[in-house]
Every structure is written in C-alpha cells, then in structure tokens.
C-alpha cells in the first residue's frame, strides 16, 4: 500500500506518498516542476532510462500472484512487457491509458547495401540483428511489415543483443550475440543483412556507405502509414500497483487527470510561436504538418481514442509469442 507520512507545506498530513519512476519528457515535465499536482498525493518521481525502469518492474513482479509487489507505486512501463506479463497471469499492476512514449518505427529498419534488400519482403529468409525480442518498438515494426508489406518474420534468422526482460516465446530461428558482436558491427560487416533498431544505428550515423535505411525518407512512409490506419503507435504506458487502487479507488482517475494536464502543458508549449519550447529548428513548420496530418489531439490519452492502436499491438504481440494469448485493451487498462 502507498505510504502515509507527514507532508510538506501545501499537502495534508494524510496525503498519499507514491514512489514513481519515469524517463524525462515534455509530457511529464509539468509534474516534475510542480506546475501540475495530484490532489491528495505527494508524487516522488525518480528519473531513469526507460529500459532500467522496465527491468526493475519486471524483476519485482511474479506472474500469477496478486500483490506480489512492484518496484514502484506508479511508473512508466513498456507496453510489450506489460502484455507479456498480463497474458501469463500477472495481476499486481494495473495499466492507466496514459502513453508517455509514442513513435512511428519505419525509420528503425536498416539494411546492408549489399544484401539485395529493396523492399520489406526481401527481408524474408535473411539474418536480422535486434536488441531484444518483445520490446514494444520491435513488436510494432515486425507487425507493420508483416501486415502491410508481406514480411514473414518466421523465416528470419534473428540475432539478439540481450535476452527478453520477461518470459515469452522466442522465434525458432534465434540466437544471442557473442561477446564481440554488436548490432552495428553485424550490419556494417554484412554478417547480418539488416537490423531493426529503434535508435540511430552507430554505423549509419558515422556515414558507413554499406548501411542505409530501407524506408528513405522515413517521414513519407510514416505519414502514409498514419493516413492509411489512423494509428500513431504507443510504446510506453503508466502502471499503478493494484494495492494502491485497493486503498484509494479514485486514485487512477486523479492520476489520469494530472498526467493529462501535464501533457496539455506540452501541447501549449509546442504551439506557442512566441518563444521556442524545444530546440528544434523549423518547429512551427513541424507542428503545422503534425496538426494537418494528425489533428489537434495528436497524442491522445484514454482507452477509447487508442483502442484501434492497442488492438493491433496486442494482436501483433500474440502472433509474435510475446503474449501467450490474445488480450483485449481492457485486459491491460482501466477504462479511463
């Protein structure tokens, strides 16, 4: 249960103290700065890289045992990992439909220029390097390539940099990297024909002529995907310990309202043309394009506006063995 302790000025003595963990972003900056608060709650947030937060949560919960204990009271969480845990009976966490990270992923498909890969179907039967099976970005791009581009992920020889952070089925053609292998070196040398990597691949960033993006420019493919599907892929959500909900039934709604208000601060900042909110040249032009293509609420929270995206992700997760059964959005999230 969340602790009740003496509170600082401005909070009642019986305020709930929730320990939280989030990576820094403009979506939660107002919470960190105190511009937005949660009524009756002292939210103490630790900032950490997402992968560290997810690993801590996955290690601290035991599938099938309600209330087995999470590393934090409220935290950012990988959607892929949450689906894997929930499909195997984990009940100590409840999801809030607050999506702290979203991204189109067409730009994460890198290929060796000598591998003869001109379209996604040419990846069939090839060797592909990845960071980790089951990470949300990978679920999305494999699912998108399979559904829309005739990609057969089961025919691929997968090489993974690290093991999944929680239990899941692995592809039949799968091995872990050896000590001297990296995703970048494998693709640059041709020992892997391609990589699905959610960050800027070092060899590509260094200008290696042997490595290119399959979708170039990614923006064109990503915009076409959104216009065809209406999906802006969610990556991370917010999870809350079930024990916290049991002790304060209205806590999820209070948190949802606060996270939504913090996101609205970011909306307003990005649209303010008076003083740049972010260090992005041509920010106004980017925002004009975003609103023209995606509308004014391009980063929606809540179950209803995200249902289509969540249903696709959960279908992909089950198909790829990340989840051991097909889940519905309600299996992960409270109806907020």
């Amino acid at each position: 249960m969340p602790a009740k302790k003496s509170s600082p000025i401005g909070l009642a003595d019986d305020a709930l103290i929730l320990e939280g963990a989030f990576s820094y972003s403009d979506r939660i900056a107002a919470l960190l700065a105190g511009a937005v608060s949660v009524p009756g709650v002292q939210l103490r947030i630790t900032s950490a890289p997402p992968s560290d937060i997810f690993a801590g949560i996955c290690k601290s919960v035991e599938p099938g045992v309600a209330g087995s204990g999470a590393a934090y009271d409220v935290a950012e969480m990988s959607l892929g990992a949450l689906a894997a845990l929930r499909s195997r009976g984990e009940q100590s966490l409840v999801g809030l439909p607050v999506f702290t990270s979203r991204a189109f992923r067409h730009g994460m498909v890198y290929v060796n220029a000598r591998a003869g890969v001109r379209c996604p179907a040419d990846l069939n039967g090839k060797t592909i390097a990845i960071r980790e099976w089951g990470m949300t970005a990978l679920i999305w791009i494999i699912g998108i390539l399979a559904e829309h581009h005739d990609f057969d992920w089961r025919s691929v020889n997968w090489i993974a940099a690290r093991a999944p952070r929680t239990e899941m089925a692995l592809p039949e053609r799968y091995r872990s990297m050896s000590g001297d292998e990296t995703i970048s070196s494998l693709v640059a040398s041709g020992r892997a024909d391609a990589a699905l990597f959610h960050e800027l691949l070092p060899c590509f960033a260094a200008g290696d002529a042997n490595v290119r993006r399959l979708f170039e420019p990614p923006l064109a493919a990503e915009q076409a995907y959104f216009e065809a599907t209406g999906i802006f892929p969610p990556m991370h959500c917010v999870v809350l310990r079930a024990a916290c909900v049991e002790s304060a039934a209205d806590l999820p709604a209070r948190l949802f309202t606060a996270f939504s208000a913090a996101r609205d601060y970011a909306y307003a900042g990005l649209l303010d043309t008076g003083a740049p909110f972010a260090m992005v040249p041509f920010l106004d032009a980017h925002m004009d394009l975003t609103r023209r293509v995606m509308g004014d609420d391009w980063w929606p929270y809540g179950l209803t506006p995200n249902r289509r995206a969540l249903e696709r992700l959960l279908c992909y997760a089950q198909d790829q063995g990340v989840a051991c059964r097909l889940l519905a959005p309600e299996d992960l999230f409270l109806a907020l």
Side-chain angles (χ1 to χ4, degrees), residues 55-80:
I57 294 172
C58 290
K59 289 179 181 178
S60 67
V61 297
E62 182 181 351
V65 180
S68 58
Y72 312 100
D73 296 313
V74 59
E76 185 172 1
M77 181 58 168
S78 157
L79 275 168

Side-chain angles (χ1 to χ4, degrees), residues 28-37 265:
I28 68 161
L31 277 167
L32 294 174
V36 169
S37 61
Y265 264 80

